[in-house]
Structure formats: structure tokens, C-alpha cells
């Protein structure tokens, strides 16, 4: 991944025109002649709560604020449905299409088709490898993984773990983000495995980030390791919660640190309960705002300079990569203060005491 001078192209810093990192021209003329209408395809509603509770909400807010027409649909982890939705959106006259691909193959087919019909395209959150999106809007995903690796290491130290066995529950093998997360946590943990400070335990990728399957996989990992797993690098809160459910069955929850990502209500509650070590908060509002700003510009046939590109093979994809933040028990309050989740959602009766202790008022 090559980065431009600006590491973060925050919302509002996008400039019109410019010489670098602009989307290509295809589709611009066709788009400018039509009324802007933005189509968004979300991937599912089970691998993470974020898609329906955060992304949909913040994208809607951004489109409404800009006064543009939009159509947001969810493919529910069905690749055929994904393509059907895209076809319907293109026929329905969208001028820009934003996708969160289910895999690069079907994502590419959709992007290429949209492009051939003069529809502008954006890869939202997940980069479509070998694809043709004019922009990519996401977080610095290697940093997400690095924060998870550092978080696990911090929690293992706090537990006084000696030569801990660390298991991995990686994300979906078809999600480029999962590859980037792993590169990030490997950069922290592999040197510790190599120096024998830590012991590498079982490692599995969870197909489609399926939370139910993750529980089965983790149970097998625990059996394989004869019950000796001292830390779990789980790539998101859903996978983390799956591991925690099995640790609970074995009365190991709270003893074995587990990581996560997405600052979901469940993940934050697991942190407050002491069952999860940390999560990674990604301010989806900023991601939605940046993507919507680009989609609206593209829909009007304008170009924006993001000041940054990401390499996909030989292609430099103009990109916006936002900064993720590690969240521990004492900073759960920051996620609430940012309006990502509410105190009422997180601090239900069972968590009221823990919330008060964590300074959530
Ligand atoms: C996203 C994560 C999410 C995961 C499962 C990834 O591509 O970046 O935020 O937890 O997909 O939906």
C-alpha cells in the first residue's frame, strides 16, 4: 500500500480538481447530464452490527443533508442478490454506486458493469482487488490490526501471562480488509512468536465473518490446544463474542484476553464486563461523510482530489483512509460521547455498575 503525503484526507479536506489521485474520467459526462442518485449495497447484517446500525444511518444522514436521492440496500451475504441489486440500481438510474463487496470477483463484475453503463463507482470500506472503482473510502486497516496486536499484548502483560499461547480468529478469507488486519497484528505478534516470548496457537479464518461458525471454530481450537489458550486475537467484535461464549462455557472468560473491532454495543459491554480486552473504534460517520461527499461529486460529474492513493496491482486507486482508535474499559465513554452508540444501549441494568465504574455518566 503506497500512501500519499497526507495520511488522512479528512472530510472537508477533499478538494475539487487537482492533479493527483483523481478518479478517472469514465462516466463523468454521462453522470453530469442526469439527476444525481446514489446507490449503496451493504454486505450483510450479521457479520457486524455496524452495517445496519451505523453505516446505513450515517449514509442516510449525509445524503439527506446534501439533498440527493439515494437507495441503500443490503445483499444479506448473498452474491447473486448482490448482483441483482446492482442491476436494478443501474436500471433504476443511479449515477453513482457505492459497494461493500462480498468478494473481489463479484465486486469486480458489478463495478465493471456500472462503469460500462456510465455509472460512477466507489469501493466503500472494502477494496475490490482487480476492480475498477474510481475511489476507495475506508480506514487505515493495517493500523486497525496493529492496534489489535498491541491491545492483546497490553492485556496479556496486565494479566502477567508467561509465554502465552495466542490463537487467531481471522476475518473472511475473501475480504481484503481481513488480509490487512492480519498484516497489522502479525507485525506486532510475529516477532514475539519468533523470539519465543509468545507461543503461536491455532489459527483459522472465519468464512464470511460468520459469528456462529466462529464459535464452532474456536471450540475446536480450544480442544486442539488442550484448553491452553491464553489470548485470542479475534478480528472483530462478533468473532470476539463467539470466542467469549465458548470461554464462558469453560469458565475461562475474563482470564483470557480477547480482542475485537467495531465498538459494537455487544463488544463494549463485553469490555465493561471484563471479558473482552479491547475493541477498535472506527468513526463510521466520517467514513460515510467522506464517501457521500465523493459520491455526490461523482454523480454531478465532478472530480475530487483525495491527496492519497492505495495500490491495487498496478493501479493507484484514489483513496480516503481514516484513522482508527483503540478502545479499552476507560475509553468506552469516548465512543458514547462521539454519538456512535448511546449510553442507554450500552448501560443496560446488567452493565449499570460497570458503566459507573468506567466513568460513563
Ligand atoms: C469491516 C469490519 C467488519 C467486517 C465484518 C470488514 O470489512 O471493515 O468493520 O467488522 O468487515 O462485517
Amino acid at each position: 500500500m503506497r500512501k500519499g503525503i497526507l495520511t488522512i484526507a479528512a472530510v472537508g479536506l477533499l478538494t475539487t480538481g487537482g492533479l493527483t489521485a483523481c478518479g478517472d474520467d469514465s462516466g463523468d459526462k454521462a453522470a453530469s447530464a442526469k439527476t444525481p442518485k446514489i446507490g449503496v449495497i451493504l454486505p450483510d447484517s450479521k457479520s457486524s452490527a455496524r452495517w445496519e446500525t451505523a453505516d446505513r444511518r450515517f449514509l442516510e444522514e449525509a445524503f439527506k443533508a446534501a439533498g440527493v436521492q439515494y437507495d441503500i440496500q443490503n445483499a444479506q451475504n448473498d452474491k447473486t442478490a448482490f448482483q441483482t441489486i446492482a442491476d436494478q440500481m443501474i436500471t433504476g438510474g443511479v449515477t453513482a454506486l457505492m459497494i461493500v463487496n462480498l468478494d473481489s470477483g463479484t465486486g469486480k463484475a458489478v463495478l465493471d458493469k456500472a462503469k460500462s453503463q456510465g455509472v460512477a463507482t466507489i469501493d466503500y470500506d472494502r477494496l475490490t482487488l482487480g476492480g475498477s472503482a474510481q475511489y476507495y473510502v475506508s480506514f487505515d486497516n493495517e493500523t486497525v490490526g496493529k492496534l489489535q496486536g498491541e491491545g492483546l499484548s497490553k492485556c496479556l502483560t496486565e494479566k502477567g501471562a508467561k509465554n502465552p499461547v495466542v490463537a487467531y480468529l481471522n476475518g473472511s478469507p475473501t475480504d481484503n480488509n481481513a488480509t490487512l488486519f492480519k498484516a497489522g497484528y502479525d507485525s506486532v505478534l510475529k516477532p514475539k512468536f519468533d523470539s519465543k516470548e509468545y507461543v503461536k496457537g491455532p489459527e483459522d479464518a472465519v468464512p464470511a465473518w460468520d459469528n456462529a461458525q466462529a464459535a464452532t471454530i474456536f471450540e475446536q481450537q480450544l480442544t486442539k490446544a488442550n484448553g491452553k489458550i491464553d489470548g485470542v486475537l479475534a478480528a472483530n467484535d462478533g468473532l470476539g463474542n463467539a470466542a467469549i461464549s465458548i470461554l464462558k462455557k469453560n469458565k475461562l472468560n475474563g482470564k483470557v484476553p480477547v480482542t475485537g473491532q467495531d465498538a459494537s454495543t455487544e463488544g463494549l459491554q463485553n469490555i465493561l464486563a471484563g471479558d473482552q480486552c479491547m475493541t477498535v473504534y472506527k468513526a463510521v460517520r466520517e467514513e460515510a461523510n467522506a464517501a457521500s461527499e465523493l459520491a455526490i461529486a461523482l454523480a454531478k460529474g465532478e472530480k475530487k482530489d483525495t491527496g492519497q492513493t492505495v495500490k491495487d496491482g498496478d493501479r493507484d486507486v484514489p483513496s480516503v483512509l481514516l484513522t482508527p482508535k483503540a478502545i479499552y474499559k476507560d475509553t468506552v465513554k469516548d465512543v458514547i460521547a462521539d454519538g456512535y452508540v448511546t449510553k442507554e444501549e450500552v448501560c443496560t441494568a446488567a452493565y449499570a455498575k460497570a458503566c459507573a465504574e468506567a466513568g460513563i455518566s
Side-chain angles (χ1 to χ4, degrees), residues 149-193:
E150 288 168 355
L152 187 65
S153 167
K154 172 174 141 61
C155 294
L156 284 167
T157 304
E158 281 166 12
K159 297 244 178 272
K162 294 272 171 302
N163 303 116
V165 177
V166 174
Y168 277 15
L169 278 178
N170 300 327
S172 170
T174 64
D175 180 350
N176 181 57
N177 285 347
T179 308
L180 299 172
F181 301 148
K182 179 170 151 62
Y185 46 79
D186 267 344
S187 75
V188 177
L189 299 174
K190 198 168 172 297
K192 295 187 187 289
F193 298 136

Side-chain angles (χ1 to χ4, degrees), residues 47-48 50-51 125-126 175 177 181 209 236 262 282:
S47 65
S48 171
R50 64 166 284 186
W51 305 115
D125 202 72
R126 298 177 181 165
D175 180 350
N177 285 347
F181 301 148
W209 296 89
N236 79 356
D262 288 344
K282 302 189 295 190

Side-chain angles (χ1 to χ4, degrees), residues 26-153:
S26 56
D28 290 355
K29 296 227 167 47
S32 58
K34 299 179 197 154
T35 311
K37 182 172 174 188
I38 297 156
V40 181
I41 313 180
L42 300 173
D44 67 75
S45 50
K46 289 194 185 144
S47 65
S48 171
R50 64 166 284 186
W51 305 115
E52 284 300 326
T53 61
D55 295 86
R56 182 185 287 276
R57 166 161 73 109
F58 294 126
L59 285 166
E60 268 176 6
E61 275 178 24
F63 296 145
K64 279 185 185 151
V68 287
Q69 287 183 50
Y70 63 89
D71 179 8
I72 304 176
Q73 294 196 43
N74 192 315
Q76 302 299 358
N77 193 33
D78 179 335
K79 287 170 201 151
T80 310
F82 194 96
Q83 283 174 306
T84 308
I85 293 169
D87 287 343
Q88 285 164 353
M89 285 182 171
I90 295 170
T91 316
V94 296
T95 47
L97 182 63
M98 277 166 58
I99 66 162
V100 186
N101 74 52
L102 289 174
D103 66 11
S104 285
T106 46
K108 177 178 164 49
V110 161
L111 293 170
D112 289 353
K113 190 163 190 181
K115 187 176 179 182
S116 75
Q117 310 275 321
V119 174
T121 49
I122 296 178
D123 267 335
Y124 181 72
D125 202 72
R126 298 177 181 165
L127 182 68
T128 302
L129 300 178
S132 56
Q134 284 156 281
Y135 291 101
Y136 168 49
V137 179
S138 191
F139 286 80
D140 180 335
N141 292 307
E142 260 189 67
T143 299
V144 170
K146 195 162 165 272
L147 295 174
Q148 292 171 322
E150 288 168 355
L152 187 65
S153 167

Side-chain angles (χ1 to χ4, degrees), residues 225-239:
N226 293 320
K228 169 106 179 89
I229 288 179
D230 303 302
V232 185
L233 193 307
N236 79 356
D237 285 352
L239 306 188

